[in-house]
Amino acid sequence: MRFDTVIIGGGLSSLVCGIRLQKAGRKCLIVSSGQNALHFSSGTFGLLSRLPDGTPVDRPLKAMEELPSGHPYSKIGIDAVRSYLAQVPPFFKDCGIELYHGADEEANGYRMTPSGSLKPAWFSLTDNTLNSSADVRFEGKALIVNFAGFLDFNTSFVAAGFEKRGASCRIETVRHPAVERLRVNPSEMRSVNIARVMDREDNWKQFVNLVKEKMHGEEMVILPEVFGFGNPSVMLWICEMIPAKVIFVGTMPPSVPGMRAQLLLKKAFEEAGGTFLPGDEAVSAEVEDGRISCIRTANLGKVRLESDCFVLASGNLFGKGLVTTPERVYEPVFGLDVEYPSDRTLWYDSDFSSRQEYLGFGVRTDSSFRALRGGEVVPNLFVIGSELAGCNTLAEGSGAMVAILSALKVSDQILQ
Ligand SMILES: Cc1cc2nc3c(=O)[nH]c(=O)nc-3n(C[C@H](O)[C@H](O)[C@H](O)COP(=O)(O)OP(=O)(O)OC[C@H]3O[C@@H](n4cnc5c(N)ncnc54)[C@H](O)[C@@H]3O)c2cc1C
């Protein structure tokens, strides 16, 4: 089987690249072995919230000037980063996904996390409210409402986060008949299952009525992000129906906004004519004269998936785009050069909350994101997203935007 471009990985970077190429008329195949980081996402997209030395960043575009030359943003170039950033909201809107930026054009916004802290982000999906500053105050009375028995929304942590910033919080639980049916099996009480139930108009309207019954003149109502899975407008309607400012706060994974975004991106890719191969894994590649000629997958066996151009978007250790043994770290499909310290004691810090070096391991590329293999550039193999060397996206808070911007940059190069 022959395609114009074959992309390995089914996460954010792969889908953005695939949609861009497919819409420009290139016949694309995406091979995706499993769940991706969007399933665990906060529902916000980080651009840059810390420099590699740990310095906090409030104005990412300015701070990017300090990044080393091997960082993906430095390879894209700061002017190009600006230009791509402007293209991101319309790109996602075309896929049915609204993205919001904080109030200040040049600065990070701040979202309330499920643990009650404020974390920087550049864009948010409809579900999240981005506050314009880390010093935001929430003066007034707030009612935090949870479903009885839903343990992945810790109301005490959320209350502590709001109270620290001026609010006076009251916590209530509601027993919604449709959600009570899920409780028969406690393992069903997960965010996405509740969200599926809340997709029915009669169910979410009944929930709104239950919330209103619990209200005693509060100025704010805080709800878990389990609404609008099928149609994000539901969140806007809930905001209109509740006589207070409604703030949605993330739950523990799985992430309803992240999974919705993944489904909508996949739909956009397929509607543009792309072929998405789910539940299959690229396992090997053939190299001819230094170029990749085809890949093979676990399910298709001997079938050659041929193309002039391949994109590796397999997502680092988390996505199994990299594999570790006690001795080494390797990229399993193409045998590419991986950047990691040879001294294994530097791979991780036993303090869980510290910067973890293993999250910065990645595939080496040239300045155009073409992969290196044995020190040589592979001219028809590009690398995008968290598989890239040169950044520790979790420590820097840059994960989603490195994925999106590297995908846009590489797709433009392929189109040229
Ligand atoms: C748990 C978690 C939560 C995160 N939350 C956020 C957040 O809230 N905001 C933010 O900005 N960033 C977040 N990030 C950072 C994240 O890296 C990016 O947001 C981004 O989603 C990464 O996308 P990606 O496409 O590079 O990789 P991934 O999303 O990891 O996708 C890689 C995909 O490749 C597939 N794959 C791997 N090997 C193969 C193979 N051989 N064949 C076929 N498929 C293969 C995997 O199954 C997976 O589907 C988070 C990261 C993690 C790990």
Side-chain angles (χ1 to χ4, degrees):
M1 272 188 272
R2 189 161 187 88
F3 295 85
D4 294 332
T5 306
V6 171
I7 305 172
I8 295 135
L12 183 59
S13 61
S14 146
L15 286 162
V16 168
C17 183
I19 292 167
R20 177 82 140 209
L21 292 175
Q22 192 67 46
K23 283 190 173 176
R26 280 185 76 98
K27 194 176 143 209
C28 292
L29 169 73
I30 290 180
V31 186
S32 170
S33 60
Q35 286 193 341
N36 57 75
L38 280 173
H39 289 75
F40 306 87
S41 149
S42 61
T44 57
F45 291 172
L47 178 61
L48 186 67
S49 57
R50 274 186 196 279
L51 287 173
D53 66 3
T55 311
V57 167
D58 187 47
R59 305 183 88 74
L61 290 156
K62 180 88 193 101
M64 273 176 206
E65 291 163 15
E66 317 270 322
L67 292 173
S69 59
H71 194 283
Y73 291 152
S74 306
K75 290 185 180 180
I76 295 170
I78 297 178
D79 289 342
V81 165
R82 274 186 188 278
S83 146
Y84 283 130
L85 278 179
Q87 296 174 31
V88 171
F91 178 97
F92 277 77
K93 194 169 181 160
D94 279 350
C95 305
I97 302 167
E98 295 277 356
L99 290 183
Y100 300 92
H101 177 59
D104 184 328
E105 251 182 49
E106 295 280 309
N108 279 323
Y110 293 82
R111 74 179 160 91
M112 184 66 78
T113 69
S115 60
S117 58
L118 280 180
K119 282 270 166 67
W122 191 257
F123 288 121
S124 78
L125 299 164
T126 324
D127 313 62
N128 268 279
T129 312
L130 278 189
N131 302 287
S132 54
S133 142
D135 303 320
V136 63
R137 302 287 298 166
F138 299 98
E139 304 296 350
K141 288 193 290 176
L143 175 66
I144 303 175
V145 185
N146 194 13
F147 294 91
F150 180 40
L151 302 180
D152 289 342
F153 185 58
N154 191 317
T155 46
S156 310
F157 285 175
V158 175
F162 279 92
E163 287 187 339
K164 200 171 139 192
R165 294 168 183 87
S168 138
C169 295
R170 201 162 62 77
I171 298 171
E172 288 278 5
T173 50
V174 294
R175 289 181 182 276
H176 189 293
V179 177
E180 287 293 298
R181 281 196 282 280
L182 290 179
R183 283 184 78 189
V184 174
N185 179 352
S187 65
E188 293 289 306
M189 282 299 281
R190 306 306 304 273
S191 56
V192 175
N193 295 343
I194 297 176
R196 289 204 177 99
V197 169
M198 283 298 124
D199 260 354
R200 282 191 48 170
E201 188 176 347
D202 48 346
N203 283 343
W204 66 257
K205 283 192 170 160
Q206 191 176 5
F207 172 79
V208 167
N209 289 332
L210 290 169
V211 170
K212 285 201 258 186
E213 282 169 20
K214 300 279 185 188
M215 287 181 71
H216 295 307
E218 281 88 1
E219 288 99 351
M220 289 170 278
V221 167
I222 296 159
L223 304 176
E225 278 176 8
V226 292
F227 299 94
F229 190 40
N231 176 9
S233 300
V234 167
M235 279 171 288
L236 305 175
W237 297 331
I238 291 176
C239 292
E240 277 170 21
M241 288 173 68
I242 293 180
K245 179 180 164 61
V246 179
I247 301 171
F248 294 97
V249 172
T251 66
M252 298 305 284
S255 160
V256 170
M259 286 181 69
R260 185 200 309 115
Q262 204 269 340
L263 289 172
L264 287 169
L265 290 171
K266 178 173 172 281
K267 183 165 168 254
F269 174 68
E270 289 179 325
E271 281 178 358
T275 307
F276 194 92
L277 205 57
D280 201 357
E281 184 183 355
V283 287
S284 63
E286 277 181 25
V287 184
E288 281 169 26
D289 298 330
R291 295 175 69 85
I292 309 298
S293 56
C294 76
I295 60 157
R296 290 206 169 79
T297 71
N299 292 348
L300 296 177
K302 288 184 177 161
V303 176
R304 291 164 58 91
L305 297 171
E306 297 173 350
S307 178
D308 289 333
C309 180
F310 294 81
V311 179
L312 184 65
S314 51
N316 199 298
L317 290 167
F318 171 77
K320 296 194 183 152
L322 297 179
V323 178
T324 55
T325 69
E327 292 80 32
R328 69 182 183 121
V329 183
Y330 65 96
E331 185 287 306
V333 183
F334 302 96
L336 302 174
D337 297 352
V338 178
E339 197 165 291
Y340 68 97
S342 51
D343 179 354
R344 198 176 189 283
T345 60
L346 301 175
W347 288 9
Y348 71 96
D349 190 315
S350 54
D351 176 1
F352 176 73
S353 57
S354 296
R355 178 188 165 99
Q356 299 293 343
E357 289 309 320
Y358 68 87
L359 294 169
F361 299 172
V363 169
R364 289 202 171 109
T365 61
D366 71 357
S367 58
S368 311
F369 297 107
R370 288 177 304 175
L372 297 184
R373 191 168 179 269
E376 299 288 323
V377 170
V378 185
N380 68 336
L381 174 59
F382 294 89
V383 184
I384 56 175
S386 52
E387 182 77 347
L388 282 167
C391 57
N392 185 325
T393 54
L394 278 194
E396 293 169 9
S398 61
M401 295 313 294
V402 164
I404 295 169
L405 300 180
S406 61
L408 292 175
K409 172 75 179 170
V410 162
S411 43
D412 278 355
Q413 283 174 196
I414 292 171
L415 292 171
Q416 279 159 21

